[in-house]
Amino acid sequence: MIETPNLNYIKELAGEDIEFEKKFIHIIKKEFPEEVDTYLEQIQTNELLLAAETVHKLKHKFNILGLEKAYGYAVTYEEDLRVGNNKMDMDFRSILQKITKYLTTI
């Protein structure tokens, strides 16, 4: 799964409104690490239904950052979590790490 996060969607949405673009990016940069921490805690405590809800929130950020394959992966993983299966966790964490690293560069 080789995708690179990008700001294309945000730039398209913002158009010429640089302030809107900056606010949107700020929200992503604030919420994403909080949601990642919540997810990791829920997996650690085996609260898989709650983790599914957090994955649901995170997957929308994947889409916003142009990660279509990661979004599809998260959709499947969310469904798996709802039935008590967290076998996709390590690959999901890889996606989270890639996005976390990217967000430090913007």
Side-chain angles (χ1 to χ4, degrees):
M1 188 180 312
I2 300 175
E3 289 182 295
T4 304
N6 62 71
L7 299 177
N8 297 347
Y9 175 77
I10 295 171
K11 289 182 180 298
E12 184 180 317
L13 197 62
E16 300 296 317
D17 190 342
I18 301 302
E19 280 307 306
F20 175 80
E21 183 179 322
K22 286 180 183 177
K23 285 179 184 175
F24 203 115
I25 291 168
H26 175 76
I27 290 168
I28 298 278
K29 289 178 80 166
K30 180 184 182 304
E31 289 181 356
F32 189 81
E34 294 170 357
E35 290 170 358
V36 169
D37 288 346
T38 299
Y39 165 78
L40 294 173
E41 184 178 312
Q42 291 164 337
I43 290 298
Q44 184 176 354
T45 57
N46 207 34
E47 297 174 276
L48 301 187
L49 286 176
L50 291 175
E53 292 301 318
T54 304
V55 169
H56 181 82
K57 292 177 187 175
L58 285 163
K59 77 180 178 191
H60 294 296
K61 289 178 179 64
F62 295 0
N63 218 17
I64 290 167
L65 293 170
L67 300 170
E68 294 176 23
K69 291 177 184 169
Y71 177 86
Y73 189 88
V75 168
T76 301
Y77 185 40
E78 179 185 349
E79 292 168 3
D80 283 359
L81 285 169
R82 291 189 189 285
V83 295
N85 178 350
N86 71 343
K87 289 186 172 123
M88 297 170 72
D89 173 57
M90 292 312 289
D91 288 333
F92 191 73
R93 288 180 193 229
S94 295
I95 296 167
L96 297 178
Q97 288 172 345
K98 185 175 200 171
I99 295 170
T100 298
K101 185 176 180 181
Y102 174 73
L103 291 177
T104 65
T105 69
I106 59 172

